[in-house]
């Protein structure tokens, strides 16, 4: 029973998706609500604030657990490691106000589509729907399965046939009304958040609330100057944050606003077609694409006609993409499954631009709305910006733990103060004031502001280097990166490909190669025909546009392309495009070729083909081009040369990109509708034409950058959509795989029939350059790993298909493979993000560098995603580099390391400053005394505030060190550094405190200054008369105070210097001129105040005059402290070798998963497996990869 109740109370929302949430049902209870309101009033709002920080407590206090069906409040919890809570109200949508058709109140469905979730959600007879809105998406309660279902998209269970039949003619007006009410408007609305909301959100941060408490206390103690300074600093800090957030909010609002007001031609069943604003569209609506340029306001599936779309907004690549209509086939499979991973070529995505439409004979192109609002591809992109994944970085959590630790010390101070003051029978008001004062002394209120300044400076430095950042807290994480994934095309290699040559094939034999550029044009023949017509190029504004590869291939023929509208001949029907030989081309026996129909390219199929017709002739031709292995499988085997694989390998192993061409004459009758051809039927029994060889050069910056990363022990991995052999060669040429290292190719296959899934490991032959090396002799010993830092002498390489199989059937092998895998080829965008996630599970800090096109998912998934594109899509990646090569990667890591070290230094400094002041104040409290106001001011404003603002200005060290800075604040070297420095302070201050009492001239209550030449006396201020506090202490004037103030002030300066370490992550301290000059000035001011025998200064600083020799002693104590502190920090604590020795001595091993696997594999004599095949055991657990928004282009 209990289990049943729990099942009704808690379910998963968006199962297996990126935004998966647990959802719990709760019901508000009147008496609990009343008690909570009483609590808010009695606690003066403190309880309300607590509930604001902990929304789950709010729900638990106000409500009782119940099933989701009865709930009026739902509590949501993320399923990631953060387990963040939010709560939402359950609302009702009332449909009874609509004028529904007669008889619809009976049991019949209200929505014609019987599978629609809307039918299952309407509560009869009241006609109401329960719903919640989470992260801009609406969910309605499905009574049949008792759970919340997403609404705003067509059900995925629809088949191709049902989409055409249910929605092909449009919806009825009534059904549209119902859907509009339930699904909400089709608009991506990003509100510009009002400043007061942003301000409140920022101010109610626990840090600032504590700060407000501290400042109130200090102000009540008459400590105005410093409090005002901190208030001003905090206002500036909050102001900047709010301004920044407001700017981002406005920018995003402007980016999406214009798409909400697009005019579309909508067709309904009863009323025909009419113009309508796009916000009224609902899933299932049918609209026309009438040839105008249109920015798509929703995701839609094309059901008639074809069109050319620019998907740059989503992918970052402004290459026109051709979309084809959804086939009208009787198939029981859902339409997405039927089209496999190519369903995207039928889908028009929201935010992309329709450039050209090609209607069919049946009228204009038509499309059915699939998704609206935030459910669309663009909505998804906007949501990922509005609700970014939280950054899991220990620095911020550790800083919080630190503050808690300091608060505990403060509590001890509070108890100590109460004991001392009560034993001296002081009035209660004074006891409370002093006790609270000591409680707040060790907790520096500037920590949040100081941590922000470090990242702000780093962001400014990155901006100068043309690297832009939309999520500044990630800069610190960049300091921890130890693995970078690179896309190949456009990232490691040049963007475009150059045509290198063509190897024609005739009579199943390869002919002489035709190289480009050459003096003689390519002779006419099927190869030339294929190159001239088998592409997806379009003429836009009198310019040929399309995939760079297609463009280069077409230019190689010297043919020219004409749009059908400008072509004069009858052969050019409505939707064709005509190519003709240009003046430089070799003569051809016909006027030109009309391209009648395209089967577009997709990364899933890795091929494309066209149906064409020579102008003036009746026969139809089909040309195909694509990945050589794929194309050859569609050819008649007798036309494929025997040495095909050998020839292919010759070129791919040199790093060339190779594409195969094939041809077939289609035997079609007269006046046939080419667009209704079945792809499977047309693409069979082809004749192999030859290989097109294209050159993809490495960018000149690639090799040195990869060498620099390798020297810094940062792993580089290649993740590409290209051919495996080419990728391995590029990896060798770029230096990712060192000469002499072996490459083991992994090939995994799905289970077939009764045969289980299998995985084969074979050694790739070395490229020609190093075959001379005698690698056979000691093959046995060479196959063992030699862990020399990170490098090892073998690398795994595999393609996307094998990766998928390994994830599904050999998941236990995956970590072993990933620890040494370097090349992943033919990877789809979904697989790229999955790979990044798997690396993260091994505790790698992953950077991803890509061109922002189809790497969007991976760029967002990585700890630091850097996109090399100036397109909008890179809004979804944390960093964008306008320098289009990978030099930005080491730059970012350097800055990240510097920022991280700076953050640590600031936190360490602030901790020590708090504790130094705490020790001094505690010692004076022993005698019921306190530092004077001006004494505190010098320490707080002149020293600490300025140190915090300038300490992080030191720039990054130009050379990357071969190790990373410590990633957490709470680590042995750091804690030791703080503990030892606190010990030095306690010893020094206690010595000063006790020694001064031993001096012959010491008086308990000094009433005279001995400094001025006339030896004039100065009457002693009566107790409490100096206005420092509300009369809590006997006096500020005392020899103890005069001794402790210089000791603690100059100690703060010493610590600031000692903690500002330069190498190996930052430049030396003297390069930070502002900081160095400031420290020198601060030291000079302190010494001047202490040594200047000027009465006016002494009286305002509340210091007593002491013999010069005593002042020299104090100085000596400080010099000793400086030497000890500097030696400890620099020679012992920052000594890498010493820590390594200690680790070895205590047998400490890194807890990172990848390190554990490396150690395990090092001991395994059978690893790596070479030239063997393994099969999967039955009943393996399947692991599903989320097919995120995937771009149908190769790389």
């Amino acid at each position: 029973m209990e289990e049943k109740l729990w099942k009704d109370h808690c379910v998963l929302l968006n199962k297996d998706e990126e935004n998966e949430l647990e959802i719990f049902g709760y019901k508000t209870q009147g008496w609990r609500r009343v008690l909570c309101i009483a609590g808010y009033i009695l606690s003066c709002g403190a309880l309300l604030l607590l509930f604001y920080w902990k929304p789950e407590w709010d729900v638990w206090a106000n409500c009782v657990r119940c099933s989701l069906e009865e709930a009026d409040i739902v509590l949501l919890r993320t399923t990631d490691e953060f387990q963040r809570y939010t709560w939402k109200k359950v609302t009702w949508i009332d449909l009874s106000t609509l004028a529904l058709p007669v008889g619809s109140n009976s049991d019949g469905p209200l929505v014609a589509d019987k599978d629609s979730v809307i039918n299952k959600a309407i509560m009869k007879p009241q006609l109401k729907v329960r719903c919640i809105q989470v992260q801009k998406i609406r969910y309605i309660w499905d009574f049949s399965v008792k759970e919340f279902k997403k609404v705003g998209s067509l059900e995925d269970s629809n088949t191709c046939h049902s989409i055409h039949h249910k929605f092909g003619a449009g919806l009825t007006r009534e059904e549209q009304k119902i859907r509009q009410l339930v699904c909400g408007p089709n608009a991506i609305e990003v509100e510009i958040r009002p400043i007061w909301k942003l301000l409140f959100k920022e101010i109610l941060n626990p840090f600032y609330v504590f700060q407000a408490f501290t400042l109130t206390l200090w102000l009540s103690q008459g400590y105005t100057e410093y409090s005002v300074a901190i208030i001003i600093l905090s206002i500036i800090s909050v102001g900047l944050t709010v301004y920044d957030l407001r700017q981002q909010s406005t920018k995003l609002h402007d980016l999406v606003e214009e798409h909400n007001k697009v005019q579309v031609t909508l067709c309904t069943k009863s009323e025909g077609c009419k113009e309508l604003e796009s916000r009224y569209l609902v899933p299932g609506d049918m609209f026309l694409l009438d040839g105008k340029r249109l920015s798509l306001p929703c995701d839609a599936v094309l059901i008639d006609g074809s069109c050319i779309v620019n998907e740059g907004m989503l992918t970052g690549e402004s290459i026109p993409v051709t979309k084809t209509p959804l086939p009208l086939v009787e198939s029981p499979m859902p339409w997405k499954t039927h089209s496999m991973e190519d369903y995207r070529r039928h889908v028009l995505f929201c935010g992309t631009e329709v450039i050209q439409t090609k209607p069919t004979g049946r009228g204009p192109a038509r499309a059915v709305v699939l998704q609206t609002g935030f459910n669309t591809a663009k909505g998804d992109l906007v949501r990922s910006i509005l609700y970014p994944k939280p950054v899991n970085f220990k620095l911020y959590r550790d800083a919080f733990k630190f503050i808690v630790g300091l608060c505990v010390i403060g509590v001890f101070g509070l108890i100590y103060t109460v004991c001392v003051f009560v034993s001296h029978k002081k009035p209660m008001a004074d006891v409370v004031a002093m006790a609270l004062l000591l409680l707040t002394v060790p907790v520096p209120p500037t920590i949040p502001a100081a941590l922000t300044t470090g990242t702000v400076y780093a962001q400014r430095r990155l901006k100068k280097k043309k690297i832009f950042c939309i999520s500044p807290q990630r800069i610190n994480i960049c300091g921890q990166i130890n693995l970078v994934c690179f896309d190949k095309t456009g990232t490691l290699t040049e963007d475009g490909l150059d045509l290198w040559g063509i190897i024609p094939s005739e009579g199943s034999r390869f002919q002489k190669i035709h190289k480009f550029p050459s003096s003689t044009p390519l002779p006419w023949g099927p190869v030339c025909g294929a190159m001239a017509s088998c592409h997806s190029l379009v003429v836009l504004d009198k310019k040929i546009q399309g995939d760079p590869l297609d463009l280069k291939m077409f230019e190689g023929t010297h043919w020219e392309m004409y749009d059908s509208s400008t072509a004069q001949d009858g052969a050019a029907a409505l939707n064709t495009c005509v190519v003709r030989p240009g003046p430089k081309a070799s003569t051809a026996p016909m006027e030109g070729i009309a391209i009648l129909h395209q089967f577009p390219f997709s990364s899933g199929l890795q091929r494309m083909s066209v149906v064409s017709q020579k102008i003036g002739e009746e026969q139809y031709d089909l040309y195909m081009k694509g990945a050589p292995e794929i194309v050859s499988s569609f050819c008649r085997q007798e036309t494929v040369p025997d040495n095909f694989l050998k020839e292919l390998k010759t070129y791919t192993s040199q790093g060339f990109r190779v594409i195969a061409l094939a041809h077939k004459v289609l035997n079609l009758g007269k006046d046939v509708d080419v667009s209704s051809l079945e792809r499977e039927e047309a693409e069979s029994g082809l004749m192999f034409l030859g290989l097109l060889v294209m050159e993809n050069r490495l960018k000149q910056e690639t090799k040195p950058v990869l060498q620099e990363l390798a020297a810094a022990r940062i792993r580089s991995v290649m993740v590409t959509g290209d051919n495996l052999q080419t990728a391995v060669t590029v990896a060798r040429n770029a230096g990712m795989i060192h000469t002499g290292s072996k490459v083991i190719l992994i090939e995994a296959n799905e289970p077939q029939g009764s045969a289980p899934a299998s995985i084969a490991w074979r050694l790739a032959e070395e490229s020609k350059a190093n075959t001379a090396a005698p690698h056979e002799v000691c093959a046995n010993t060479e196959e063992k790993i030699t862990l020399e830092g990170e490098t090892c002498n073998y690398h795994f390489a595999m393609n996307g298909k094998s990766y998928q199989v390994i994830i599904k059937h050999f998941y236990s092998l995956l970590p072993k493979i990933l620890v040494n895998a370097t090349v992943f080829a033919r990877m789809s965008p979904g697989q790229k993000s999955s790979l990044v996630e798997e690396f993260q599970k091994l505790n790698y800090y992953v950077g991803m560098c890509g061109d922002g096109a189809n790497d969007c998912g991976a760029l967002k998934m990585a700890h630091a995603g850097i996109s090399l594109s100036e397109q909008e899509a890179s809004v979804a990646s944390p960093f964008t580099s306008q320098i289009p090569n990978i030099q930005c990667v080491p730059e970012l890591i350097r800055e990240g390391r510097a920022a991280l070290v700076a953050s640590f230094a600031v936190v360490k400094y602030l901790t020590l400053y708090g504790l130094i002041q705490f020790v001094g104040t505690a010692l004076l409290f022993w005698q019921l005394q306190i530092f004077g106001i001006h004494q505190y001011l010098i320490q707080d404003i002149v020293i600490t505030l300025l140190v915090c603002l300038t300490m992080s200005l030191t720039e990054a060290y130009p050379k990357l060190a071969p190790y990373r800075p410590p990633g957490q604040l709470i680590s042995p070297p750091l804690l030791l550094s703080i503990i030892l420095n606190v010990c030095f302070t306690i010893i020094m201050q206690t010595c000063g405190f006790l020694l001064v009492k031993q001096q012959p001239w010491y008086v308990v209550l000094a009433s005279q200054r001995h400094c001025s030449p006339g030896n004039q006396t100065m009457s002693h201020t009566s107790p409490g008369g100096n206005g420092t506090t509300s009369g809590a202490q006997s006096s500020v004037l005392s020899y103890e105070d005069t001794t402790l103030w210089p000791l603690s002030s100059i100690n703060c300066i010493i610590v600031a210097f000692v903690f500002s370490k330069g190498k190996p992550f930052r430049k030396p301290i003297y390069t930070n001129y502002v900081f160095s000059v400031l420290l020198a000035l601060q030291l000079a001011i302190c010494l001047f105040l202490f040594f200047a025998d000027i009465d006016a200064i002494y009286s305002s600083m509340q210091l007593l005059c002491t013999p010069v020799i005593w002042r020299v002693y104090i100085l000596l104590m400080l010099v000793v402290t400086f030497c000890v502190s500097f030696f400890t920090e620099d020679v012992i604590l920052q000594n890498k070798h010493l820590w390594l020795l200690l680790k070895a001595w205590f047998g400490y091993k890194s807890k990172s998963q990848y390190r554990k696997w490396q150690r395990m594999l090092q001991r395994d004599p059978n690893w790596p497996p070479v030239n063997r095949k393994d099969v999967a055991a039955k009943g393996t657990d399947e692991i599903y990869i989320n097919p995120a928004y995937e771009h149908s282009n190769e790389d």
Side-chain angles (χ1 to χ4, degrees), residues 872-888:
E872 269 175 29
S874 51
V875 177
S877 86
F879 299 96
T880 311
S881 164
Q882 286 190 341
I883 306 163
N885 60 55
I886 62 170
Q887 272 173 326
C888 56

Side-chain angles (χ1 to χ4, degrees), residues 795-1040:
H795 300 262
F796 291 124
M798 69 179 92
N799 59 22
K801 189 173 116 294
S802 301
Y803 174 74
Q804 194 78 34
V805 175
I806 291 170
I807 278 225
K808 217 171 180 185
H809 302 283
F810 299 96
Y811 194 66
S812 57
L813 277 178
L814 192 64
K816 292 184 178 184
I817 293 169
L818 290 187
V819 167
N820 286 303
T822 304
V823 177
F824 296 86
R826 295 272 186 243
M827 295 285 274
S828 73
Q831 290 169 338
K832 287 183 181 182
S833 3
S834 151
L835 176 69
V836 168
E837 199 173 4
E838 292 300 335
F839 272 130
Q840 287 172 335
K841 284 182 191 166
L842 291 177
N843 303 128
Y844 277 111
Y845 277 87
V846 185
M848 167 84 200
C849 182
D851 53 10
N854 41 357
D855 306 326
C856 265
L859 289 169
K860 282 193 302 200
M861 184 67 78
H863 288 108
I866 315 163
S867 101
L868 307 180
S869 96
E870 293 175 40
Q871 287 279 348
E872 269 175 29
S874 51
V875 177
S877 86
F879 299 96
T880 311
S881 164
Q882 286 190 341
I883 306 163
N885 60 55
I886 62 170
Q887 272 173 326
C888 56
V889 176
E891 270 314 336
L892 190 59
I893 295 175
R894 271 196 285 273
E895 284 302 341
R897 288 180 171 187
L900 185 60
V901 173
S903 301
F904 282 8
V906 167
V907 172
K908 268 167 65 171
Y909 171 74
L910 283 173
T911 309
L912 255 139
Y913 141 76
L915 292 174
I916 289 171
Q917 227 176 44
F918 178 77
V919 172
T921 311
L923 285 171
L924 285 178
F925 271 15
W926 185 251
Q927 299 193 167
L928 308 186
Q929 294 169 337
I930 187 168
F931 284 126
I933 277 200
H934 292 118
Q935 297 176 352
Y936 271 134
L937 268 182
I938 295 271
Q939 287 182 2
D940 293 345
I941 292 187
V942 177
I943 300 176
T944 299
L945 204 54
L946 295 175
V947 164
C948 288
L949 291 176
T950 56
M951 200 176 198
S952 312
L953 282 172
T954 315
E955 293 189 5
Y957 196 66
K959 185 175 182 295
L960 277 177
Y963 50 89
R964 301 176 295 162
Q968 48 203 57
L969 266 173
I970 300 173
S971 61
L974 233 127
L975 286 179
L976 257 176
S977 166
I978 288 173
I979 292 164
L980 289 175
N981 276 294
V982 170
C983 291
F984 302 151
T985 288
I986 293 174
I987 293 166
M988 176 178 71
Q989 294 201 28
T990 316
C991 284
F993 184 73
L994 297 174
L995 283 174
V996 76
K997 290 179 186 299
Q998 313 300 319
Q999 301 307 313
W1001 39 262
Y1002 171 76
V1003 197
V1004 178
L1005 281 179
S1007 57
Q1008 282 190 325
R1009 295 188 183 283
H1010 307 286
C1011 284
S1012 51
N1015 224 5
Q1016 67 202 77
T1017 59
M1018 175 192 157
S1019 60
H1020 161 57
T1021 7
S1022 60
N1026 51 40
T1028 317
T1029 71
S1030 49
Q1033 77 285 20
S1034 313
S1035 166
V1036 171
L1037 285 178
S1038 76
Y1039 286 117
E1040 288 86 353

